[in-house]
C-alpha cells in the first residue's frame, strides 16, 4: 500500500458503511486514529475479504472483527465526549436533575467505550494469525498496556466505574463539578488499586474542562497505541512459520490496491461493497 492517506482514501470508498461514515464525518477528531487503522485494514483486512465484503477468510475473522470494533468504540467515545461538552454548556444546570443524570450517564459511557476499545485492541493483537500474544489470559491486553501506559489508565477507569462508587456531580456557579469527597471513607483502602482515582482526582474539578483535557490526551495516546499495534502486526506478518504464512492467507498473486482515483471512478458507477472488516453476516451486530 502507499502512504497513510492512500489507505484512508481506500477505506473511505471501500470500507463498510460505518467506516465510510467515520472517514467522511470524523477526520478532524479521529484522523490520528484513522491513519494506523486504515493502514492495518488495507494490509490485512481488505485483502482477505470474500465476495462483497461481508466475510473474511478463515483464520482472520476474530482479528478483523476485533480491530473493526475498536474503531467503532473510538467513535462511540467521541459521541459521548460531545454530549458531555454540550451538557456542560447548558446554563443553570443545577435546576434540572435529569440533565445531571444525563451528564453522569454520558461520563460513564465515555469510560466504558474507551475501556472496551482497549480490550478490542488487545484482542486484535491476540487474534492476528501467527500472533505470539498467546498462552496467557488476556495476553494481547497485557502487551498493549506494556506498549502504552495510557491504555492501562483508560482500562482502569472503566474498571472503577464497574466496581467502585460513582463520583456524584454537583453544581457550583452554574458549572458542573465532581465531588470526590464521596469516595472518602474508612474502608476505601480495601478497594482494588485499579478502582481508585489517583491524586489528580482528589479535589473538585469542573467537568467540562476536565474532559476537554482528557479527550485531547486520549486521542493522542490512542493514535500512538494504534501505531504500535500496526508495527506489532507487521512483525507477525513477516514471520513465515508452519502456523502462519501471511502470503498463503491472502493467496498469490497478491492483490494490487487500486489508486484513489481508480477506486473513486469505479464507485461512481458501481454499488459500494457491503460491510467489510466485521467478519459477520449482513445485519449482524458489530459489537
Amino acid at each position: 500500500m502507499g502512504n497513510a492517506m492512500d489507505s484512508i482514501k481506500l477505506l473511505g470508498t471501500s470500507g463498510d458503511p460505518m467506516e465510510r461514515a467515520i472517514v467522511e464525518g470524523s477526520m478532524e477528531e479521529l484522523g490520528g486514529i484513522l491513519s494506523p487503522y486504515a493502514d492495518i485494514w488495507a494490509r490485512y483486512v481488505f485483502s482477505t475479504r470474500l465476495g462483497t465484503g461481508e466475510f473474511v477468510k478463515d483464520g482472520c475473522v476474530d482479528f478483523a472483527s476485533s480491530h473493526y470494533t475498536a474503531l467503532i468504540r473510538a467513535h462511540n467515545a467521541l459521541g459521548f465526549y460531545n454530549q458531555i461538552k454540550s451538557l456542560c454548556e447548558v446554563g443553570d444546570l443545577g435546576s434540572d436533575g435529569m440533565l445531571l443524570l444525563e451528564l453522569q450517564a454520558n461520563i460513564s459511557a465515555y469510560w466504558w467505550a474507551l475501556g472496551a476499545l482497549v480490550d478490542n485492541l488487545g484482542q486484535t493483537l491476540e487474534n492476528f494469525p501467527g500472533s505470539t500474544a498467546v498462552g496467557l489470559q488476556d495476553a494481547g491486553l497485557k502487551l498493549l498496556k506494556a506498549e502504552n501506559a495510557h491504555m492501562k489508565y483508560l482500562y482502569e477507569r472503566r474498571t472503577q466505574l464497574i466496581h467502585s462508587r460513582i463520583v456524584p456531580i454537583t453544581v457550583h456557579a452554574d458549572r458542573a463539578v465532581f465531588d470526590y469527597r464521596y469516595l472518602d471513607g474508612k474502608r476505601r483502602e480495601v478497594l482494588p488499586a485499579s478502582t481508585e482515582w489517583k491524586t489528580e482526582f482528589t479535589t473538585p474539578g469542573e467537568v467540562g474542562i476536565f474532559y476537554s483535557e482528557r479527550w485531547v490526551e486520549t486521542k493522542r495516546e490512542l493514535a500512538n497505541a494504534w501505531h504500535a499495534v500496526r508495527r506489532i502486526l507487521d512483525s507477525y506478518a513477516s514471520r513465515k512459520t508452519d502456523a502462519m504464512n501471511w502470503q498463503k492467507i491472502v493467496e498469490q498473486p497478491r492483490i494490487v490496491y487500486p489508486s484513489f482515483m481508480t477506486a473513486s471512478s469505479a464507485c461512481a458507477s458501481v454499488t459500494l461493497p457491503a460491510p467489510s472488516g466485521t467478519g459477520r453476516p449482513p445485519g449482524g451486530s458489530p459489537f
Side-chain angles (χ1 to χ4, degrees), residues 102-119:
E102 187 176 350
L103 180 56
Q104 182 68 65
N106 278 281
I107 285 173
S108 297
Y110 173 83
W111 293 115
W112 288 333
L114 290 173
L117 185 163
V118 174
D119 238 342

Side-chain angles (χ1 to χ4, degrees), residues 76-125:
N76 291 159
L78 170 59
F80 295 132
Y81 164 68
N82 285 333
Q83 286 294 104
I84 292 168
K85 187 169 61 173
S86 295
L87 286 164
C88 287
E89 293 171 354
V90 173
D92 196 18
L93 192 64
S95 66
D96 193 335
M98 291 304 297
L99 288 179
L100 290 176
L101 284 170
E102 187 176 350
L103 180 56
Q104 182 68 65
N106 278 281
I107 285 173
S108 297
Y110 173 83
W111 293 115
W112 288 333
L114 290 173
L117 185 163
V118 174
D119 238 342
N120 294 136
L121 272 186
Q123 291 163 5
T124 299
L125 291 172

Side-chain angles (χ1 to χ4, degrees), residues 5-6 29-30 34 49 67 84 105 111 142 175-176 211 214 242-243 245 251 261-263:
M5 284 308 300
D6 289 336
E29 287 283 1
L30 300 180
L34 280 169
R49 299 192 310 175
H67 186 236
I84 292 168
W111 293 115
K142 290 181 174 68
R175 294 293 182 180
Y211 278 94
R214 292 292 78 72
D242 292 338
N245 186 325
E251 296 180 354
M261 293 305 296
T262 302

